[in-house]
Amino acid sequence: MGGLGVGNILHKNLILLFKWWWRFSESDNTLWKRIIKSVHDIKGDKASMDTFRNIKTGTWSSLTCNEPDIVKVRSILEDGMVLRVGDCSSIQFWHDRWCEAGVLKSIFPRLFAISLQKNSEISHMGEWAGSTWCWKLDWRRPLYDWESEEVRVLHQIIAQNGPKRYREDGLLWKNAEVAAYPTKYIKDKFNESLGSSLPKNILSIVWQKFIPPRAKLTLWLANKEKLKTADYLVEKGIIAPQNAWCPFCRSELESNSHILFTCRFAWRSWMEILKWWGLSASLHSKFPDFSTQWLGLVNVREHKDIWALTLGCVIWSLWYERNKIKFESKTPNLQNFVTSLKIRIGIWAKEIMGSSTYTPNVIYNADTFILQT
Ligand SMILES: [Zn+2]
């Protein structure tokens, strides 16, 4: 078939269809939007996968399905759309994606469950004291210790992004002057992506699908190299350099790249996981390269999902283990760590994929099971 085949027309229609994604975010309180929201029981006022989760039928459901082409267009769009936080009267605190980190109810499901402001706009979740915005979050009951810790992290995330006075909320396209649906940009990006099988932000798709909500924040920070490791704290003058050793090896300065990849504890853990799968590779030491390379190591279609989940699970577990050692004086033990990793991968797989193919027991014995297929 020539270059002007059916494929092109379908792609064009697809890109036009996604204009609704943009329009939904753009228009406040219009009749059609109120109807869509009520028909599909949508919470949230801005388009995102979280907002449209409930849509199962009709044209709108094709916007949220997992067809490869649709995933590509959607990820280009989600990657470029930016909510400009203004007076916050049209953005819902828990349901809309107004923080770079993601939708807050997905990152903090347990806090969402005890919030007394589940459907509140941001503008109703605090007040102005002079020119300073003061958050006021209300909970159904007193917080447990671990919940207070989560609230602290939540405040860190929202601190930089509070309401701005005398400015309306808006919808922008990243790096563009004009606030309009960028048909041409999406078309070009989409055509670029046809040559490669992985869209640019494959990671965010992986995280959306295969990571339990409670682990998403850590993964997101790791992806941006923003985990608060000792090098950061030294730089900020919070701790002295002599207290900045990596808790695993105690012989090098702790950094994001060190703790997750180059430390011998981390490195040996990755090698054990590769061995478990009958693979070997020399791995990169920076998150984006590392993960792209990792995801490319397994090409059997049935195993790609579990392999993506494994990446997220090892990263999260390394950080979790690091905290246990640092704050609860646990002693590092590679063999125990790897064993608990394999079990955790099984637990996550069961929780997220819900299938009986990957029970914790099957995963634990993966060396036999994977090699047979
Ligand atoms: Zn180390």
Side-chain angles (χ1 to χ4, degrees):
M1 203 186 293
L4 287 170
V6 181
N8 270 329
I9 297 165
L10 288 180
H11 293 156
K12 206 170 157 196
N13 284 339
L14 184 62
I15 291 167
L16 287 177
L17 180 64
F18 264 95
K19 205 164 184 175
W20 287 103
W21 193 275
W22 178 275
R23 283 192 185 142
F24 185 90
S25 299
E26 188 181 47
S27 28
D28 295 318
N29 218 16
T30 50
L31 180 62
W32 69 265
K33 182 165 168 179
R34 291 210 301 274
I35 293 173
I36 297 267
K37 285 186 67 172
S38 124
V39 167
H40 297 289
D41 189 24
I42 292 174
K43 306 276 191 278
D45 277 317
K46 308 294 170 189
S48 73
M49 279 300 272
D50 286 85
T51 302
F52 293 153
R53 185 196 306 270
N54 285 338
I55 304 182
K56 299 280 188 279
T57 55
T59 313
W60 283 73
S61 67
S62 53
L63 295 174
T64 57
C65 77
N66 282 324
E67 277 287 306
D69 284 351
I70 290 182
V71 171
K72 276 182 194 162
V73 177
R74 190 171 62 221
S75 59
I76 295 168
L77 196 56
E78 287 207 298
D79 195 38
M81 266 172 60
V82 182
L83 277 183
R84 190 187 67 169
V85 173
D87 58 12
C88 289
S89 57
S90 75
I91 303 175
Q92 294 198 22
F93 183 86
W94 288 107
H95 299 293
D96 289 330
R97 190 186 166 137
W98 57 283
C99 292
E100 208 190 342
V103 174
L104 293 174
K105 72 174 169 192
S106 303
I107 305 178
F108 301 101
R110 289 171 298 194
L111 294 182
F112 176 64
I114 57 166
S115 171
L116 284 173
Q117 300 153 300
K118 284 198 169 70
N119 296 315
S120 294
E121 284 82 25
I122 299 173
S123 52
H124 293 136
M125 303 201 50
E127 56 196 15
W128 291 99
S131 59
T132 312
W133 175 257
C134 302
W135 291 103
K136 203 171 161 298
L137 309 184
D138 295 326
W139 311 107
R140 184 149 55 77
R141 53 166 171 74
L143 300 174
Y144 294 111
D145 277 356
W146 58 268
E147 288 168 337
S148 305
E149 176 58 24
E150 288 211 328
V151 170
R152 209 178 50 75
V153 178
L154 172 63
H155 273 286
Q156 276 176 9
I157 292 182
I158 61 181
Q160 299 110 30
N161 212 9
K164 307 282 177 299
R165 259 182 158 175
Y166 314 119
R167 185 172 95 176
E168 283 190 2
D169 298 333
L171 182 64
L172 299 177
W173 186 254
K174 193 169 66 175
N175 309 328
E177 302 273 306
V178 202
Y181 182 70
T183 311
K184 186 176 172 337
Y185 177 89
I186 295 178
K187 213 170 90 196
D188 292 347
K189 273 274 163 195
F190 181 76
N191 286 336
E192 261 173 48
S193 76
L194 288 178
S196 67
S197 56
L198 293 179
K200 264 250 162 61
N201 58 350
I202 178 76
L203 273 181
S204 64
I205 297 167
V206 169
W207 301 156
Q208 289 296 334
K209 270 174 80 179
F210 302 119
I211 305 301
R214 63 181 175 280
K216 276 185 181 163
L217 182 64
T218 302
L219 266 298
W220 181 78
L221 290 170
N223 185 22
K224 303 237 157 202
E225 298 203 297
K226 279 188 176 164
L227 290 171
K228 298 260 186 294
T229 41
D231 57 337
Y232 170 86
L233 301 174
V234 169
E235 198 182 304
K236 292 271 157 193
I238 298 169
I239 59 171
Q242 61 268 29
N243 296 327
W245 299 122
C246 159
F248 288 138
C249 64
R250 293 182 183 281
S251 60
E252 282 182 63
L253 173 68
E254 187 196 52
S255 67
N256 273 238
S257 159
H258 177 83
I259 201 94
L260 297 178
F261 306 115
T262 57
C263 177
R264 63 172 185 268
F265 185 91
W267 183 79
R268 287 177 61 195
S269 308
W270 289 108
M271 289 299 144
E272 288 289 324
I273 298 294
L274 285 178
K275 197 167 94 192
W276 182 40
W277 276 65
L279 298 167
S280 64
S282 75
L283 297 165
H284 287 275
S285 59
K286 288 280 182 190
F287 200 105
D289 297 336
F290 184 98
S291 42
T292 309
Q293 182 196 18
W294 183 266
L295 294 172
L297 286 173
V298 167
N299 285 312
V300 184
R301 206 159 55 88
E302 300 92 283
H303 297 324
K304 273 191 164 304
D305 291 357
I306 190 80
W307 188 242
L309 179 147
T310 299
L311 170 68
C313 191
V314 177
I315 301 262
W316 184 82
S317 301
L318 280 166
W319 184 246
Y320 183 75
E321 189 74 2
R322 174 260 188 202
N323 289 338
K324 286 253 167 208
I325 296 167
K326 203 170 165 83
F327 302 119
E328 295 172 27
S329 311
K330 195 180 162 186
T331 320
N333 179 315
L334 186 79
Q335 236 29 64
N336 290 350
F337 177 68
V338 172
T339 303
S340 68
L341 251 181
K342 294 178 181 175
I343 293 166
R344 186 174 295 128
I345 291 167
I347 294 171
W348 282 25
K350 197 156 194 281
E351 182 179 334
I352 289 167
M353 302 175 182
S355 96
S356 52
T357 320
Y358 297 114
T359 63
N361 191 36
V362 167
I363 287 290
Y364 188 71
N365 297 308
D367 34 5
T368 48
F369 139 82
I370 289 160
L371 294 175
Q372 277 160 13
T373 49

